[in-house]
């Protein structure tokens, strides 16, 4: 009788759930180089999952390679690693690009006997052939160069001697055996790669099934990737109990679910009505401290509703006492798969710091959902463009902005900045604010809001960059369908292409990972949000 054995070695496209395993692999493979943060790895996968592969042996990730599509001028011209990869995130992926660019390759040093590097290279070639791309390019490491450079006339001389067989180099030799062609040196490609003295061998493989003189022109299909968004303009009202407050929240969750929404978002500090049934007058600090006691019950109820109503809930924000004793303003995101995620507010306002002694958070990252990665910027955070850019680099196409503003001026700061974030990042921004007042609660005397769903300003989107908006200062639910595929088209073929047109040769943002949340810290040496490619 025939028996079917369990597959022990598998090469497949990477998934966000592989991030921790990939991070540990890279720390094992390159202990002498800076590692990746989990956020950067999520960006590599989310920005072009089709070009990112893992090799898995007996359930353990033992190989990884990342690649993206870029135009020929970028792939074949002079560049450095930060510039071409978007500081490591792979955010310069261009779906109309005719070259596949490899920017990471590593194999577990204990598993080099299974030709894992060969398998990963074969997957890249198969992808390039399937898509009729012109070829593959990358900057390859030169690990023996630094040791031998005194005897050589520069890095080009080194590579020439490797090609002639006069010098052995394990990386370049492997690439030559796999049909790659050397076309020159990329100087200052990655300064952190000391063994290569910062240089890289510019290598290409030309697709034999595509005519070199007549490369294909690629267009982004105007497909449909529809997501339904709901934003709650929430009335701040006195309640008699925790249960009454939950009923007011659940009403909107129920309605949004009945309309088959994928997401529903509530405002910043939407839980402040829980202070309205306190039996004595509390000082601002006492009030916030009392509110933090509700955190476990709030998260449990959001989780229950997400599961019962089959909807992803962005739970505005709620004051929470952190493990170090600080009080932070935290958005809890309850997904319909049963998981709950937290995103702290990075920038407390002067008002929050003065009245409630709220401290800023340390980390901002995307949250993986069944509709792709999303981001959350709590109110004032929307006014700091580097935060939205970080989320989009990690793959976010929708960013939710729970806010709480008392005046029209305050609201417009959030509104105008969010519209700017939608344009400069070519993403959707979903705003949700409070209305009404809570006379017995300090700092909630009046509220002003006009919740809305904002889009980039280009032909596929609403004329004014507004998919939907509520009437000012009226409790309501606002719903709109958005097409994520329109963002892909706009980023590649739009009138302006803000993401791809960034000048990475002049500037980029680096996140200080020394203060990152523990689940974003890497295994191995402290990173600077970049890493050397392992030979392309």
């Amino acid at each position: 009788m025939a028996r079917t054995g369990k597959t022990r070695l598998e090469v497949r496209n990477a998934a966000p759930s592989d991030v921790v395993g990939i991070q540990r692999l890279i720390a094992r493979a390159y202990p002498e180089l800076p590692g990746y943060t989990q956020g950067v790895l999520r960006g590599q996968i989310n920005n072009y999952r089709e070009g990112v592969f893992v090799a898995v042996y007996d359930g353990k990730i033992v190989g990884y390679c990342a690649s993206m599509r870029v135009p020929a001028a970028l792939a074949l011209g002079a560049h450095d690693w930060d510039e071409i990869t978007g500081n490591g995130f792979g955010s310069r992926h261009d779906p109309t690009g005719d070259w596949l660019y490899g920017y990471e390759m590593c194999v577990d040093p204990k598993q080099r006997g299974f030709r894992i590097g060969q398998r990963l290279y074969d997957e890249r070639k198969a992808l390039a052939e399937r898509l009729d791309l012109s070829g593959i390019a990358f900057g390859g490491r030169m690990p023996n160069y630094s040791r031998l450079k005194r005897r050589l006339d520069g890095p080009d001389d080194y590579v020439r001697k490797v090609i002639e067989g006069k010098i052995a180099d394990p990386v370049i030799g492997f690439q030559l055996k796999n049909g790659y062609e050397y076309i020159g040196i990329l100087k200052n490609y990655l300064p952190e790669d000391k063994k290569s003295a910062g240089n890289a061998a510019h290598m290409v493989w030309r697709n034999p099934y595509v005519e070199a003189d007549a490369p294909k022109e690629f267009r982004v299909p105007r497909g449909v990737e529809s997501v339904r968004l709901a934003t709650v303009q929430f009335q701040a009202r006195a309640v008699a109990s925790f249960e009454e407050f939950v009923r007011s929240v659940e009403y909107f969750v129920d309605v949004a679910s009945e309309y088959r929404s994928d997401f529903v978002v509530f405002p910043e500090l939407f839980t402040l009505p829980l202070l309205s049934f306190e039996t004595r007058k509390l000082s601002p600090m006492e009030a916030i401290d009392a509110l933090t006691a509700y955190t476990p019950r709030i998260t449990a109820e959001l989780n229950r509703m997400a599961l019962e109503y089959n909807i992803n809930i962005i739970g505005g924000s709620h004051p929470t006492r952190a493990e170090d004793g600080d009080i932070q303003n935290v958005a809890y995101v309850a997904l319909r798969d049963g998981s709950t995620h937290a995103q702290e507010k990075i920038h407390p306002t002067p008002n929050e710091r003065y009245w409630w002694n709220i401290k800023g958070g340390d980390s901002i990252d995307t949250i993986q959902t069944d509709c792709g990665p999303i981001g959350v910027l709590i109110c004032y955070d929307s006014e700091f463009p580097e935060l939205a850019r970080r989320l989009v680099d990690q793959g976010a196409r929708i960013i939710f902005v729970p806010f709480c503003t008392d005046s029209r001026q305050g609201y417009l700061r959030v509104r105008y900045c969010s519209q700017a974030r939608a344009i400069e990042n070519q993403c959707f921004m979903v705003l949700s604010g409070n209305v009404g007042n809570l006379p017995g609660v300090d700092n909630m005397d009046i509220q002003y809001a006009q919740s809305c769903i904002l889009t980039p300003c280009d032909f596929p989107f609403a004329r004014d960059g507004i998919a939907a908006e509520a009437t000012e200062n009226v409790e309501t639910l606002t719903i709109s369908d958005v097409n994520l595929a329109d963002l892909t088209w706009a980023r590649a073929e739009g009138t302006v292409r803000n993401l791809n047109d960034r000048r990475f040769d002049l500037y980029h943002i680096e996140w200080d990972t020394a203060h990152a949340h523990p689940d974003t810290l890497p295994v191995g040496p402290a990173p600077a949000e970049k890493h050397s490619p392992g030979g392309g």
Side-chain angles (χ1 to χ4, degrees):
M1 184 177 79
R3 294 185 180 181
T4 303
K6 181 182 178 182
T7 300
R8 299 190 64 190
L9 178 59
E10 175 191 18
V11 179
R12 57 169 172 79
N13 286 111
S17 58
D18 296 322
V19 162
V20 172
I22 296 169
Q23 190 181 49
R24 290 172 178 165
L25 164 68
I26 291 171
R28 295 194 302 273
Y30 302 121
E32 77 281 6
L33 292 172
Y36 285 123
T37 63
Q38 292 182 21
V40 172
L41 290 171
R42 278 194 292 270
Q44 293 178 4
I45 296 168
N46 288 328
N47 284 313
Y48 188 46
R49 183 174 177 182
E50 194 173 6
V52 182
F53 302 94
V54 289
V56 183
Y57 180 67
D58 284 347
K60 182 179 180 181
I61 293 177
V62 296
Y64 175 68
C65 74
S67 44
M68 60 185 176
R69 290 174 64 171
V70 296
L74 188 58
L76 304 180
H79 60 268
D80 63 39
W81 188 81
D82 277 349
E83 175 190 354
I84 200 165
T85 67
N87 206 29
F89 288 92
S91 56
R92 298 195 73 182
H93 165 66
D94 182 348
T96 66
D98 61 324
W99 281 78
L100 193 66
Y101 190 89
Y103 58 94
E104 181 58 85
M105 169 72 76
C106 69
V107 175
D108 193 319
K110 295 183 179 180
Q111 304 291 347
R112 295 194 185 273
F114 297 116
R115 300 184 183 273
I116 291 169
Q118 179 73 63
R119 296 170 191 258
L120 293 171
Y121 270 38
D122 289 346
E123 290 292 338
R124 274 190 184 156
K125 286 184 179 179
L127 176 62
E129 290 174 359
R130 185 169 70 250
L131 297 177
D132 288 332
L133 302 183
S134 296
I136 303 171
F138 55 75
R141 296 187 68 208
M142 305 160 53
N144 290 342
Y145 173 66
S146 184
R147 179 169 54 86
L148 301 175
K149 67 179 182 179
R150 291 184 180 179
R151 296 190 282 140
L152 300 164
D153 187 20
D156 182 71
D157 184 40
Y158 172 81
V159 178
R160 298 292 179 189
K161 284 184 167 57
V162 173
I163 294 171
E164 293 167 3
K166 297 177 181 178
I167 294 176
D169 184 287
V171 174
I172 297 175
F174 175 72
Q175 292 158 356
L176 293 171
K177 289 179 181 178
N178 277 273
Y180 285 86
E181 168 194 350
Y182 169 68
I183 62 172
I185 290 293
L186 294 169
K187 294 184 178 180
N188 299 315
Y189 184 72
L190 194 78
E192 291 83 357
D193 185 5
K194 303 301 182 184
K195 290 185 177 180
S196 304
N199 300 293
H202 200 175
M203 310 292 286
V204 299
W205 171 83
R206 303 181 191 276
N207 187 350
Y209 304 107
V210 173
E211 292 185 27
D213 296 333
K216 283 195 171 186
E217 290 189 9
F218 295 93
R219 301 295 301 273
V220 176
R222 295 291 294 276
V224 177
E225 196 177 344
S226 183
V227 173
R228 181 162 293 177
L229 305 171
T231 175
V232 180
Q233 193 153 283
F234 196 61
Q235 174 82 35
R237 56 168 62 84
V239 294
S241 65
F242 178 81
E243 290 73 20
E244 183 180 346
F245 170 75
V246 169
R247 285 195 295 272
S248 68
V249 172
E250 191 163 359
Y251 167 80
F252 285 105
V253 173
D254 185 10
V255 174
S257 176
E258 284 295 315
Y259 278 93
R260 305 298 296 270
S261 301
D262 295 293
F263 295 93
V264 61
V265 55
F266 287 86
E268 178 186 25
L269 298 173
F270 79 121
T271 57
L272 281 174
L274 293 170
L275 296 173
S276 62
F277 57 86
E278 287 289 332
T279 56
R280 67 182 182 87
K281 177 70 173 177
L282 300 178
S283 69
M285 279 303 302
E286 288 175 327
I288 286 298
D289 194 52
L291 206 55
T292 64
Y294 289 101
T295 300
R297 297 174 71 184
I298 289 293
T299 56
E301 288 295 339
L302 291 175
N303 182 268
R304 174 187 65 81
M305 287 185 273
L307 283 169
E308 289 185 7
Y309 292 94
N310 189 32
I311 191 170
N312 299 306
I313 303 173
I314 290 80
S317 77
H318 174 74
T320 300
R321 188 171 295 282
E323 291 183 359
D324 61 4
D326 288 343
I327 295 177
Q328 294 183 334
N329 192 358
V330 180
Y332 291 100
V333 178
L335 303 182
R336 51 190 171 194
D337 65 5
S339 63
T340 301
H341 306 260
Q343 176 58 65
E344 61 264 37
K345 188 174 185 177
I346 303 300
H347 302 91
T349 62
N351 199 43
E352 288 174 282
R353 293 196 300 268
Y354 177 79
W355 286 103
W356 295 328
N357 196 31
I358 286 180
K359 306 293 185 183
D362 297 325
S363 177
I364 191 160
D365 289 289
T366 54
I367 297 168
Q368 296 294 145
T369 77
D370 56 356
C371 298
I374 64 165
V376 179
L377 296 175
I378 302 174
C379 197
Y380 194 30
D381 283 346
S382 66
E383 300 175 30
F384 295 83
E386 60 271 19
L387 298 186
R389 182 54 55 81
R390 174 178 172 84
L391 292 171
V392 171
D393 276 343
Q394 291 187 22
R397 293 182 288 179
I398 306 171
I399 297 178
F400 295 92
V401 183
F403 70 91
C404 181
T405 52
D406 58 352
S407 66
R408 180 172 171 83
Q409 293 96 322
Y411 162 72
L412 288 177
R413 286 194 296 270
V414 176
R415 170 75 175 249
Y416 291 154
C417 288
S418 294
Q419 186 75 74
R421 304 296 84 85
I423 291 170
E424 67 201 14
N425 294 292
Q426 296 177 291
C427 67
F428 296 114
M429 304 287 291
V430 187
L431 282 63
S432 171
N434 297 293
V435 297
N437 59 76
L438 290 169
V441 177
D442 286 329
N443 216 30
M444 283 291 282
D445 303 314
I446 56 172
Q447 303 302 310
Y448 187 100
Q450 186 177 20
S451 303
C452 55
I453 300 167
L454 304 176
T455 77
C457 292
D458 210 338
F459 291 113
F461 308 102
R463 186 193 67 176
D464 299 321
I466 305 167
E469 62 183 342
T471 302
E472 301 101 317
N473 297 329
V474 174
E475 184 174 52
T476 188
L477 182 72
T478 303
I479 300 175
S480 179
D481 288 337
V482 297
N483 183 10
L484 300 182
D486 285 342
L487 298 177
T488 303
W489 180 89
R491 292 174 179 183
E493 300 192 45
T495 307
V496 293
R497 303 162 195 178
N498 305 69
L499 287 180
N500 277 335
D501 288 344
R502 285 180 283 172
R503 289 290 304 275
F504 284 98
D505 57 326
L506 297 180
Y507 62 85
H508 64 254
I509 297 170
E510 288 188 11
W511 191 262
D512 184 359
T513 54
H515 301 289
H517 195 273
D519 67 2
T520 66
L521 289 176
V523 178
E529 289 231 322
K530 61 180 70 175
H531 183 76
S532 171

